[in-house]
Amino acid sequence: MRIVIYSMLVLLIAIQFPLWLGKGGWLKVYEMEKQVELQEAKNSLLALRNAKLSGDVKDLKDGTRAIEERARVEHGLIKEGEYFVQILPADKSTEASATKQ
């Protein structure tokens, strides 16, 4: 009788092994679900970046406002009749010496 019980117990453990630790077991499925969640988060960030870039491309193709803005910001270009004024942040060392005087 004991041999039957022990053999059934060994058989039960042998059946459970692939379920928990096998190629398609619960642990592997759990790890894969975590990887899928991480990849979906990365994909959503990339989708936001792609939407922003496609908006920039559309602006560059359709209108002149984006081109004008880039020329102003990146190259400091101005229109005729305009004045370019650049305000620099004050240095902390010059502020300290000005307050001491």
Side-chain angles (χ1 to χ4, degrees):
M1 187 69 170
R2 286 187 180 184
I3 295 174
V4 173
I5 292 174
Y6 289 134
S7 63
M8 290 290 196
L9 186 60
V10 168
L11 190 60
L12 180 66
I13 292 172
I15 291 172
Q16 291 291 317
F17 179 77
L19 178 66
W20 291 99
L21 303 173
K23 185 176 180 181
W26 290 104
L27 296 176
K28 296 286 183 183
V29 170
Y30 179 74
E31 290 173 6
M32 291 296 230
E33 285 176 350
K34 291 294 182 185
Q35 288 178 0
V36 167
E37 288 176 8
L38 288 173
Q39 190 62 44
E40 285 176 348
K42 287 179 186 178
N43 288 350
S44 65
L45 291 174
L46 291 173
L48 290 173
R49 186 194 71 172
N50 288 347
K52 182 179 180 268
L53 288 175
S54 67
D56 286 347
V57 168
K58 183 182 175 192
D59 284 344
L60 288 171
K61 284 182 179 179
D62 294 340
T64 59
R65 294 179 80 194
I67 296 171
E68 183 179 330
E69 180 183 347
R70 283 185 184 250
R72 288 175 182 270
V73 171
E74 294 175 5
H75 302 291
L77 299 178
I78 58 174
K79 288 183 181 178
E80 231 176 89
E82 288 184 340
Y83 295 100
F84 178 72
V85 178
Q86 184 176 8
I87 300 173
L88 299 174
D91 282 340
K92 292 185 179 184
S93 60
T94 58
E95 285 180 10
S97 64
T99 56
K100 287 182 183 178
Q101 293 176 359

